[in-house]
RNA sequence: UGGGGUGUCGCCAAGUUGGUUAAGGCACCGGAUUUUGAUUCCGGCAUUCCUAGGUUCGAAUCCUAGCACCCCAGCCA
């Protein structure tokens, strides 16, 4: 409803215009030709695990297209395999999709809602000679499927009559046969160079309790058969999936054409479009590897802030908006690619920089005493919450003669280019006074301050110093645990746990400005000069989301 | 030696009805502003589009032949 006056897809100002990609082109063409008046996409996870960064790309793609072209996107659970799926996963997935900020209508859909329909569609195929019940064992089926270079061989049951097939299929449904005794297969072409067309199995007998349909069924449709039907029933226009389903598309089209011819579903039928899944440097996204991280306790669970899960991202302080920007930046194509993790980090930084209030926190405390500051004195210093956004207001920060400063901000003998604190040098305490260092004695840094240098007072700017240090009044500090997260793996293309980064988490006892004591769970801040931090939704600690860009340390760090 | 895909700057990615100097982002390198060595800003960064031929006045875009990489032989999705 908003910005309907804007021309072009994206509907934003030129600067925010989204770049073209092949899926947008298909959609635009379909809209232009009138093939579709309105598009409908879908995000179809199997509820057998937690959503990760890769799913975020898919979610942003599907829901993003719907939003951009004023269509809709369904959240649909592809729950056709009761042995692997659980309600707990659907809850967590719903939670994550919501968190990413997308709406999918009144309620999520479930493939299992269409089991009756699918069953009827199967009978339709049987009646028209397009499917048959095979009674070979799984091993026999495999042996007869042929290989990549040799054609397969027909099953001895391939020519059963429709009547016989119907009877057998109904018996399968009625529980008259053991698991694995029979399977329903599409009758296509055992010699097809595309192995997926060599009479793929479409229904199997599986006595398992389904998380939604319970024990109503003992036969379940296979993805191959179920997915196109789910799309068609919902009148999905563009069914977007990953590259590995490319070879499946001929079957997708074969099935839908027959069902449409038979009047089982309506035209136009959905179109399957494949894109390259997300790969990220320094990250593993395969389910097997993620499970291993959790089960072997290399992390503290699926929502560990180091995990590339959406649950982990939330605790890490990553934002939904950051993911959306990230998805837009990496684009969509069919080329297998590996995105540099820096792009994700930068998307998060960019968003956080805009919205995170500034605070001061000392992560590696070193005591600083201002020798000429009034004994026991203290005062409140006003600091802006955001240097570029005065509308975010200001806050008072208590100051006194005894402060915590960052250990790395002091060097007894300054290295080349170091312009922070060292004997004889002056720096400004951020939004406070200019101090001159007199040296370190007994592990405490000493200095004197210039009473007329207080920020905001007349003449304060007369002091020209290069260094600007954050600080926290020792007497007023809020001590808290802060976890400094870094990449989970130390190599760009991690293979497994052998590549784990031993320093992926550093826990420190930090001294924070008192306002941080009232941070709400999940609230995000920029700790000046350090990075972005989020108050952990689960406890009183803070998690580092991402550090600031730093053009100094990298060059000089050993 | 089957089938399906993909190859444009370090990493992504526009561009594909053939037509001036091959978008943009990230990274990187300069420089300006800056009470965050942050942000912001300005500038630099592919005579070249997997390779080799060919067609053409003109090709990343067309043709031919190669090469590289990814996916497919679950009663998983």
């Amino acid at each position: 409803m908003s910005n309907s006056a804007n021309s072009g897809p994206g509907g934003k100002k030129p600067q925010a215009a989204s770049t073209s990609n092949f899926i947008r082109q298909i959609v635009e063409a379909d809209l232009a030709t009138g093939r579709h008046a309105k598009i409908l996409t879908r995000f179809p996870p199997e509820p057998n695990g937690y959503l990760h960064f890769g799913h975020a790309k898919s979610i942003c793609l599907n829901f993003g297209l719907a939003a951009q072209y004023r269509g809709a996107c369904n959240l649909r659970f592809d729950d056709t395999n009761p042995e692997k799926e659980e309600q707990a996963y659907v809850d967590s997935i719903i939670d994550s999709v919501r968190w990413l900020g997308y709406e999918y209508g009144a309620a999520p859909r479930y493939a299992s809602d269409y089991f009756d329909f699918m069953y009827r569609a199967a009978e339709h195929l049987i009646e028209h000679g397009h499917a048959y019940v095979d009674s070979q064992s799984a091993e026999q089926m495999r042996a007869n499927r042929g290989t990549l270079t040799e054609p397969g061989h027909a099953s001895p049951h391939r020519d059963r009559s429709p009547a016989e097939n119907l009877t057998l299929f109904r018996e399968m449904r009625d529980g008259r046969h053991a698991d694995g005794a029979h399977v329903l297969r599409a009758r296509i072409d055992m010699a097809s160079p595309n192995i997926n067309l060599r009479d793929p199995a479409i229904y199997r007998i599986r006595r398992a309790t389904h998380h939604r349909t319970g024990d109503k069924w003992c036969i379940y449709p296979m993805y191959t058969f179920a997915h196109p039907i789910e799309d068609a029933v919902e009148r999905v226009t563009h069914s977007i999936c990953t590259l590995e389903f490319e070879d499946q598309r001929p079957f997708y089209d074969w099935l839908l054409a027959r069902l449409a011819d038979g009047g089982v579903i309506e035209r136009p039928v959905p179109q399957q479009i494949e894109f390259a899944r997300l790969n990220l440097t320094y990250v593993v996204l395969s389910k097997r590897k993620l499970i291993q991280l959790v089960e072997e306790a290399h992390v503290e669970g699926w929502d560990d802030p180091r995990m590339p899960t959406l649950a982990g991202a939330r605790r890490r302080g990553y934002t939904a908006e950051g993911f959306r920007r990230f998805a837009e930046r990496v684009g969509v194509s069919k080329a297998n690619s590996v995105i540099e993790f820096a792009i994700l980090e930068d998307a998060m930084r960019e968003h956080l920089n805009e919205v995170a209030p500034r605070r001061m926190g000392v992560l590696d405390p070193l005591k600083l005493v201002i020798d000429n500051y009034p004994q026991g004195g203290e005062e409140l210093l006003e600091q802006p919450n955001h240097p570029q956004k005065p509308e975010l207001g200001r806050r008072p920060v208590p100051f006194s003669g005894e402060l915590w400063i960052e250990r790395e901000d002091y060097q007894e003998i300054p290295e080349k280019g170091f312009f922070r604190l060292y004997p004889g040098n002056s720096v400004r305490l951020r939004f406070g006074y200019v101090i001159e260092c007199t040296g370190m004695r007994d592990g405490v840094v000493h200095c004197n301050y210039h009473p007329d240098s207080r920020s905001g007072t007349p003449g304060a700017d007369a002091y020209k110093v290069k260094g600007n240090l954050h600080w926290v009044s020792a007497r007023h500090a809020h001590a808290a645990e802060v976890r400094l997260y870094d990449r989970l793996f130390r190599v760009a293309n991690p293979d497994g746990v052998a590549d784990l980064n031993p320093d992926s988490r550093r826990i420190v006892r930090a001294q924070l400005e008192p306002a941080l004591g009232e941070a709400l769970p999940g609230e995000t801040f920029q700790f000046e000069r350090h990075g972005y931090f989020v108050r952990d939704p689960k406890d009183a600690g803070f998690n580092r989301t991402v550090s600031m860009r730093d053009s100094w340390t990298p060059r000089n760090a050993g």
Side-chain angles (χ1 to χ4, degrees):
Chain A
M1 320 170 188
S2 55
N3 61 317
S4 53
N6 289 308
S7 61
K12 294 283 187 204
K13 15 192 128 14
Q15 187 146 15
S18 40
T19 78
S20 170
N21 67 50
F22 78 104
I23 298 181
R24 283 176 173 148
Q25 286 175 11
I26 291 171
V27 169
E28 283 167 23
D30 287 345
L31 255 16
T33 61
R35 175 181 164 81
H36 300 296
K38 188 170 179 288
I39 66 162
L40 208 217
T41 56
R42 101 268 93 111
F43 172 61
E46 179 186 17
N48 70 341
Y50 296 92
L51 259 30
H52 56 59
F53 293 2
H55 295 111
K57 174 182 179 184
S58 177
I59 292 169
C60 291
L61 208 209
N62 280 292
F63 283 92
L65 283 168
Q68 180 179 0
Y69 296 103
R70 286 149 211 278
C73 179
N74 290 346
L75 168 60
R76 181 177 72 225
F77 291 97
D78 216 343
D79 55 352
T80 58
N81 185 352
E83 291 175 317
K84 294 188 174 177
E85 297 147 8
E86 292 174 23
Q87 185 60 39
Y89 291 126
V90 344
D91 295 340
S92 133
I93 290 170
I94 287 175
D95 196 43
S96 291
V97 171
R98 280 224 181 95
W99 176 72
L100 269 180
Y102 292 110
E103 292 298 325
Y104 45 82
R109 320 296 172 102
Y110 296 84
S112 52
D113 287 343
Y114 316 133
F115 281 172
D116 286 300
F117 187 93
M118 291 175 192
Y119 177 82
R120 274 183 267 122
E123 287 208 345
H124 175 89
L125 289 185
I126 292 171
E127 286 161 3
H128 292 263
H130 297 313
Y132 63 99
V133 173
D134 195 357
S135 308
Q136 297 182 102
S137 66
E139 297 68 45
Q140 293 172 125
M141 264 183 68
R142 190 189 325 121
N144 284 331
R145 187 150 28 228
T147 68
L148 294 179
T149 53
E150 308 159 59
H153 302 289
S155 162
H157 312 110
R158 196 170 195 264
D159 293 317
R160 289 212 257 233
S161 69
E164 189 184 353
N165 282 321
L166 211 46
T167 301
L168 278 168
F169 188 50
R170 287 175 179 167
E171 289 177 2
M172 285 166 62
R173 174 199 59 190
D174 296 338
R176 309 263 296 277
H177 298 284
D179 286 15
H182 307 284
V183 65
L184 184 69
R185 289 228 253 173
R187 178 190 278 109
I188 307 179
D189 177 6
M190 286 307 291
S192 173
N194 179 348
I195 292 184
N196 297 287
L197 258 25
R198 319 240 263 230
D199 292 9
I202 58 179
Y203 254 102
R204 77 283 218 186
I205 305 173
R206 213 29 114 257
R207 264 161 261 259
T209 301
H210 188 280
H211 70 105
R212 298 191 79 241
T213 60
D215 295 317
K216 178 180 177 188
W217 298 90
C218 66
I219 57 172
Y220 291 93
M222 305 273 298
Y223 164 88
T224 308
F225 176 74
H227 206 89
I229 295 178
E230 295 157 26
D231 288 337
V233 168
E234 292 177 7
R235 305 310 311 276
V236 163
T237 55
H238 303 270
S239 178
I240 301 164
C241 61
T242 42
L243 255 26
E244 67 270 29
F245 293 103
E246 222 155 8
D247 292 338
Q248 211 98 264
R249 191 172 66 233
F251 178 81
Y252 188 101
D253 295 336
W254 177 93
L255 210 214
L256 262 20
R258 266 143 201 82
L259 261 19
D261 286 346
V264 179
I265 60 169
E266 292 175 64
R267 289 197 156 95
V269 299
Q271 175 189 3
Q272 176 178 305
I273 301 168
E274 311 84 15
F275 73 99
R277 61 155 20 95
L278 174 71
N279 292 299
L280 271 178
T281 58
Y282 299 100
V283 169
V284 298
L285 291 176
S286 93
K287 183 170 296 175
R288 201 195 96 245
K289 288 175 181 170
L290 293 178
I291 286 173
Q292 187 186 10
L293 292 174
V294 174
E295 289 188 341
E296 293 179 6
H298 296 109
V299 294
E300 296 186 343
W302 288 94
D303 66 346
D304 184 298
R306 291 165 294 183
M307 286 289 275
T309 53
L310 261 21
R314 197 170 350 177
R315 280 190 66 200
R316 177 72 173 260
Y318 286 173
T319 64
E321 172 61 19
F323 274 109
R324 277 181 239 118
R325 294 184 188 196
F326 170 69
E328 186 58 40
R329 283 187 194 186
V330 303
V332 182
S333 77
K334 299 189 69 156
N336 277 313
S337 59
V338 184
I339 306 307
E340 289 177 346
F341 194 72
I343 295 182
L344 211 214
E345 288 193 310
D346 189 73
M348 296 300 165
R349 264 196 208 103
E350 180 186 271
H351 177 227
L352 259 9
N353 174 50
E354 292 168 15
V355 301
R358 314 284 120 131
R359 294 290 184 268
M360 293 194 294
V362 175
L363 304 183
D364 187 6
L366 174 63
K367 188 64 74 67
L368 173 80
V369 172
I370 305 171
D371 293 314
N372 64 338
Y373 194 77
Q375 270 298 328
E378 66 176 73
E379 58 193 301
L380 286 174
L381 266 23
E382 285 263 307
Q383 298 208 5
N385 286 322
H386 191 118
Q388 283 84 36
K389 294 188 168 186
E391 66 273 23
L392 258 40
R394 303 171 69 81
R395 69 187 188 288
V397 184
F399 180 88
S400 67
E402 217 172 285
L403 311 171
W404 291 114
I405 62 168
E406 212 64 61
R407 189 167 297 276
E408 65 171 22
D409 282 341
Y410 175 80
Q411 287 186 7
E412 191 77 33
I413 300 160
E415 65 183 298
K416 190 169 180 295
F418 185 81
F419 54 68
R420 277 115 93 154
L421 217 52
Y422 56 87
N425 194 41
S426 292
V427 300
R428 178 175 289 282
L429 292 171
R430 193 146 169 79
F431 293 110
Y433 297 95
V434 169
I435 57 172
E436 181 173 341
C437 182
T438 57
M440 182 187 257
R441 294 188 290 283
D442 301 324
V444 173
V445 177
H446 288 265
C447 68
N448 289 309
Y449 85 124
H450 296 285
D452 59 348
S453 67
R454 177 170 158 171
S455 290
T457 59
D461 290 338
Y463 291 88
K464 295 298 177 198
V465 293
K466 241 190 146 197
N468 209 304
L469 311 188
H470 61 278
W471 49 271
V472 169
S473 167
R475 190 154 72 237
H476 310 273
H478 169 72
E481 178 171 300
V482 173
R483 296 124 203 167
L484 303 171
Y485 292 110
D486 198 352
R487 40 188 59 149
L488 223 203
F489 293 95
R490 41 187 248 283
V491 299
N493 186 12
D495 201 43
V497 299
D499 297 320
L500 281 165
N501 171 9
D503 298 316
S504 63
R505 182 180 65 180
R506 250 176 64 221
I507 299 178
V508 300
R509 190 71 182 165
Q511 299 292 342
L512 312 176
E513 69 166 84
L516 254 6
E518 281 129 51
L520 271 17
E523 206 174 354
T524 286
F525 303 92
Q526 182 196 98
F527 286 7
E528 295 210 31
R529 303 212 297 140
H530 279 304
Y532 298 93
F533 292 74
V534 63
R535 159 78 195 280
D536 195 314
K538 291 174 107 175
D539 64 29
F542 287 84
N543 301 329
R544 180 168 70 191
T545 306
V546 59
S547 63
M548 299 289 259
R549 265 209 202 86
D550 185 351
S551 57
W552 163 251
T553 310
R555 275 201 301 261
N556 301 59

